[in-house]
Amino acid sequence: SPSPHPMPGPPRAVLQRPENRRCADCGAQDPRWASVNLGIFICEICSGIHRNIGTHISQVRSVTLDDWKPEWVATVHQVGNARARAFYGYHVPTDDRYTGQVELSGGDTIDSAQSKLLERWIRAKYEELRYAPKDKQPPCQEVALRSSMLQAEQKPWPSRGPAAPWP
C-alpha cells in the first residue's frame, strides 16, 4: 500500500554524513542514487548494476528526482554506508575487494572489464552475502523489524467481538 506523505528524497543531513558522501560500492564521490531498501547511497554506475540484480535485492531511487516513502528515509537514516559496509564487508579478503576506478567511457557506459568486476563485487555483497557475518541479520532487516514492531505497539489490539458467555 502506498505510504502517506512522500518526501522529496532523503534529508540533506543524511546525505552530508561523511560515510554517505562516497558510493557504498565503488567509492565514487557524491553519490546521487540510493538503494532504499538496503539503506545505502550509490553512484549512477553502481545504481545500474543494482537495478540489474533485481528489486527483490535492491530498490534504486534517485536522491534528487524521486519522491521517497517515509520508510525509505528511515532506512537510509538508520543504516547508511558505514553501517552497511561494516555488515556486507565484514570479512572481505583483500583480493576480493573492488579497487578499480569507475569512469564513464562515452555515454553512460563504463569499461566492460571494470563493469564485470564491479558487478561481481556488488552481487557477492548483496545477493550472495558472501562477506557478511553468518550469525546476524542485515541492518536493513533490523530496521524493518524495529519499524514493524513500533507500528504494532501503536495499534490497538483487534477486537474479537463480545465474549462468549460461560456455559
Side-chain angles (χ1 to χ4, degrees), residues 70-118:
E71 58 265 29
W72 299 345
V73 172
T75 301
V76 298
H77 176 72
Q78 293 176 41
V79 177
N81 289 2
R83 186 171 173 199
R85 189 176 305 113
F87 178 82
Y88 294 104
Y90 183 70
H91 36 165
V92 179
T94 306
D95 294 346
D96 284 14
R97 187 172 302 280
Y98 179 79
T99 57
Q101 277 299 114
V102 176
E103 293 178 19
L104 295 175
S105 62
D108 60 354
T109 59
I110 63 171
D111 173 72
S112 68
Q114 285 300 313
S115 176
K116 286 179 181 142
L117 288 172
L118 187 56

Side-chain angles (χ1 to χ4, degrees), residues 52-70:
N52 287 339
I53 63 176
T55 57
H56 63 292
I57 293 173
S58 185
Q59 298 168 13
V60 177
R61 296 294 184 275
S62 167
V63 300
T64 55
L65 303 174
D66 293 320
D67 284 338
W68 282 39
K69 296 178 181 181

